[in-house]
């Protein structure tokens, strides 16, 4: 083993020269493969966060690496002032896979959320006929849609907003899971209801069965767009390609990101109908890097891995196994265990951070969310034997902390 000074030196550099906008676990990763990551001191850890579901395909997937490397040798960025030979192919792949008419590619997830908001508002004015500057968008309490000023402006999390105002108007909140509250909040000026079908950052909060169907019907009755943020829940994570497929609905707009690149590159997209994405005219919206050939080649390969390796079905099967094992753990510190596919939460009646630290010491990387929740979201390619090992570690750490 190399000198343990290395990790502490790197941590010290980061603390001294970086902004402290994160509180990471002190593991300094230098390489990764599949579900495993390796730190600078040669220790290995099973990754149970998967970069917030950006590496559903596993770290450094060879097929995505090949697409990335091949394209990096050809052309990486043209800007959309010119066309490139990869964007049309990604758009066709997205259409064939999801059934949506069109897609608009961006880079980070929050940029795609902003794009969806712009599309929904412009649809509200030009198609629905809402008076200028009066459009309203309904969102859920405890939402997480990213970190731009517009988006944190409609967060209900005080820390995300505090110190960053003033914010854009035009957003109202309803509780997740309460369809009647949505119905009551809709006005003639409502253009969209924006929501996560399962709230990830809030702690894997799953609305009651039937809620999405009710929401879809209410939106349709009122000529309101149903805009689903599937940046974290989508692309296989919950055991279906999209979480909304568990309820057999068809939303008007779907936002994807994260696993769209398998972790190689920031790629996001808005998927929608001709009528919604048709509102954009040249000059209305754009991004220097959005739709660049490197991103598109990577995204095509990343999508192909999800399909070819049946990652959604794998998530459903392994997730059901993990959930049943977690539900068998008897401990006074567990408030609730919940999950959909390989996206699980153990809600404790105490801070989760010390348990995450203890799991790290055993070689399992989990990150707490909202103080008391341990979120479990391994890459979907994880071997069952590795999953079993991880569940054993979790059981042992909970037992140790239960006295
Ligand atoms: C991660 C996430 C975002 C933001 O994506 P970034 O790439 O970090 O901008 C938005 N919505 C949801 C549901 C997310 O999980």
């Amino acid at each position: 083993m190399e000198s343990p000074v290395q990790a502490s030196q790197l941590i010290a550099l980061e603390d001294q020269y970086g902004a402290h906008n994160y509180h990471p676990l002190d593991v300094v990763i230098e390489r990764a493969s599949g579900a495993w990551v390796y730190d600078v001191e040669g220790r290995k850890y099973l990754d149970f966060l998967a970069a917030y579901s950006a590496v559903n395909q596993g770290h450094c997937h060879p097929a995505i690496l090949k697409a990335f490397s091949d394209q990096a040798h050809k052309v990486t960025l043209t800007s959309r002032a010119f066309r490139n030979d990869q964007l049309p192919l990604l758009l066709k792949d997205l259409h064939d896979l999801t059934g949506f008419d069109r897609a608009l590619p961006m880079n980070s997830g929050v940029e795609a959320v902003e794009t969806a908001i712009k599309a929904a508002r412009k649809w509200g004015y030009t198609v629905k006929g809402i008076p200028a500057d009066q459009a309203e968008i309904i969102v859920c309490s405890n939402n997480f849609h990213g970190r731009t000023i517009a988006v944190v402006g409609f967060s209900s999390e005080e820390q995300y907003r505090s110190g960053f105002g003033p914010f854009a108007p035009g957003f109202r909140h309803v509780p997740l899971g309460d369809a009647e509250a949505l119905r009551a909040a809709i006005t003639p000026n409502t253009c969209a209801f924006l929501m996560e079908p399962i709230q990830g950052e809030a702690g894997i909060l799953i609305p009651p069965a039937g809620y999405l169907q009710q929401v879809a019907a209410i939106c349709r009755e009122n000529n309101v767009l149903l805009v689903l943020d599937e940046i974290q829940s989508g692309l296989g994570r919950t055991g279906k390609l999209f979480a909304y497929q568990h309820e057999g609905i068809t939303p008007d707009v779907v936002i994807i990101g994260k696993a769209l690149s398998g972790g190689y590159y920031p790629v996001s997209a808005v998927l929608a109908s001709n009528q919604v994405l048709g509102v954009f005219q040249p000059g209305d919206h754009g991004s220097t890097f959005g739709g660049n050939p490197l991103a598109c080649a990577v995204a095509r390969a990343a999508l192909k891995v999800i399909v070819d390796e049946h990652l959604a079905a794998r998530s459903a099967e392994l997730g059901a196994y993990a959930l049943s094992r977690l539900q068998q753990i008897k401990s006074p510190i567990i408030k609730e265990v919940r999950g959909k596919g390989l996206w699980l939460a153990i809600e404790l009646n105490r801070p989760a951070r010390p348990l995450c630290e203890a799991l790290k010491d055993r070689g399992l990387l989990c990150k707490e969310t909202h103080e008391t929740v341990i979120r479990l979201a391994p890459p979907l390619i994880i071997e069952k034997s590795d999953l079993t090992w991880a569940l054993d570690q979790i059981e042992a750490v909970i037992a140790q902390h239960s006295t």
Side-chain angles (χ1 to χ4, degrees):
M1 199 188 275
E2 285 175 48
S3 141
V5 181
Q6 212 184 343
S8 58
Q9 282 173 340
L10 291 165
I11 291 166
L13 286 176
E14 184 171 322
D15 283 349
Q16 184 174 352
Y17 297 113
H20 293 185
N21 58 325
Y22 277 93
H23 179 33
L25 290 180
D26 281 337
V27 47
V28 183
I29 296 163
E30 74 172 357
R31 65 192 172 87
S33 174
W36 292 89
V37 302
Y38 301 82
D39 75 5
V40 291
E41 285 152 17
R43 276 186 292 264
K44 72 175 202 173
Y45 303 85
L46 193 58
D47 181 359
F48 249 53
L49 182 62
Y52 301 97
S53 295
V55 289
N56 285 355
Q57 299 89 337
H59 289 275
C60 299
H61 192 290
I64 311 174
L65 172 61
K66 182 166 189 317
F68 181 79
S69 167
D70 288 353
Q71 188 61 41
H73 285 91
K74 289 185 187 164
V75 59
T76 56
L77 182 61
T78 55
S79 84
R80 300 235 5 228
F82 312 123
R83 297 182 188 265
N84 72 68
D85 70 348
Q86 295 299 308
L87 174 60
L89 303 180
L90 173 62
L91 297 173
K92 178 70 162 66
D93 283 357
L94 284 170
H95 166 79
D96 291 348
L97 183 63
T98 69
F100 285 93
D101 293 336
R102 290 173 189 276
L104 195 167
M106 296 293 285
N107 311 287
S108 67
V110 75
E111 283 177 298
V113 173
E114 294 260 357
T115 302
I117 291 169
K118 286 175 76 173
R121 282 184 170 178
K122 194 156 185 204
W123 173 89
Y125 300 124
T126 60
V127 180
K128 183 167 176 172
I130 296 171
D133 293 339
Q134 300 298 306
E136 289 168 1
I137 293 176
I138 301 171
V139 299
C140 283
S141 308
N142 303 314
N143 69 70
F144 182 82
H145 297 288
R147 301 288 201 159
T148 57
I149 291 285
V151 170
V152 296
F154 60 80
S155 172
S156 57
E157 188 67 32
E158 196 38 43
Q159 196 202 345
Y160 296 173
R161 299 163 51 88
S162 177
F164 302 123
F167 298 116
F171 298 94
R172 356 180 6 159
H173 290 91
V174 295
L176 178 75
D178 184 344
E180 288 316 308
L182 171 65
R183 195 193 296 280
I186 291 175
T187 75
N189 291 340
T190 305
C191 63
F193 178 41
L194 165 65
M195 65 165 311
E196 305 150 84
I198 293 176
Q199 289 186 334
E201 296 310 297
I204 327 263
L205 298 184
I206 306 169
Y211 172 69
L212 282 185
Q213 286 180 354
Q214 286 176 294
V215 157
I218 292 168
C219 286
R220 203 173 322 110
E221 283 161 30
N222 291 280
N223 197 22
V224 166
L225 299 177
L226 176 57
V227 180
L228 295 184
D229 180 346
E230 292 247 18
I231 290 171
Q232 197 167 157
S233 59
L235 302 180
R237 174 53 61 185
T238 69
K240 300 258 189 206
L241 184 66
F242 292 116
Y244 69 76
Q245 293 173 328
H246 290 287
E247 297 217 354
I249 63 156
T250 307
D252 299 290
V253 180
V254 174
I255 308 164
I256 55 176
K258 293 202 166 113
L260 183 52
S261 73
Y264 274 88
Y265 201 83
V267 191
S268 62
V270 175
L271 313 175
S273 62
N274 286 326
Q275 200 188 49
V276 174
L277 278 180
V279 300
F280 285 125
Q281 304 296 316
D284 279 355
H285 190 56
S287 160
T288 303
F289 280 81
N292 75 70
L294 183 57
C296 293
V298 163
R300 292 187 71 206
L303 290 171
K304 191 167 183 310
V305 169
I306 291 169
V307 173
D308 288 354
E309 300 188 14
H310 311 288
L311 294 188
R314 208 181 154 78
S315 174
E317 187 189 320
L318 293 177
Y321 161 68
L323 184 62
S324 79
R325 272 213 49 190
L326 292 173
Q327 283 171 336
Q328 283 161 25
I329 302 176
K330 297 277 170 279
S331 164
I333 72 168
I334 296 182
K335 236 174 103 180
E336 189 184 38
V337 170
R338 54 181 176 263
K340 198 101 172 166
L342 267 179
W343 208 25
L344 303 127
I346 306 169
E347 185 166 348
L348 307 174
N349 57 16
R350 62 180 62 191
R353 180 86 182 192
L355 282 86
C356 292
E357 298 277 1
L359 288 168
K360 184 200 82 173
D361 293 340
R362 287 170 172 261
L364 184 63
L365 294 183
C366 304
K367 182 71 171 67
E368 79 280 3
T369 182
H370 279 251
E371 299 285 321
T372 57
V373 178
I374 308 177
R375 160 180 29 199
L376 311 176
L380 305 181
I381 51 84
I382 190 171
E383 295 293 338
K384 187 166 183 189
S385 53
D386 288 342
L387 180 60
T388 298
W389 174 83
L391 293 165
D392 291 343
Q393 306 314 307
I394 291 166
E395 201 171 337
V397 162
I398 288 174
Q400 274 171 359
H401 285 76
S402 290
T403 46

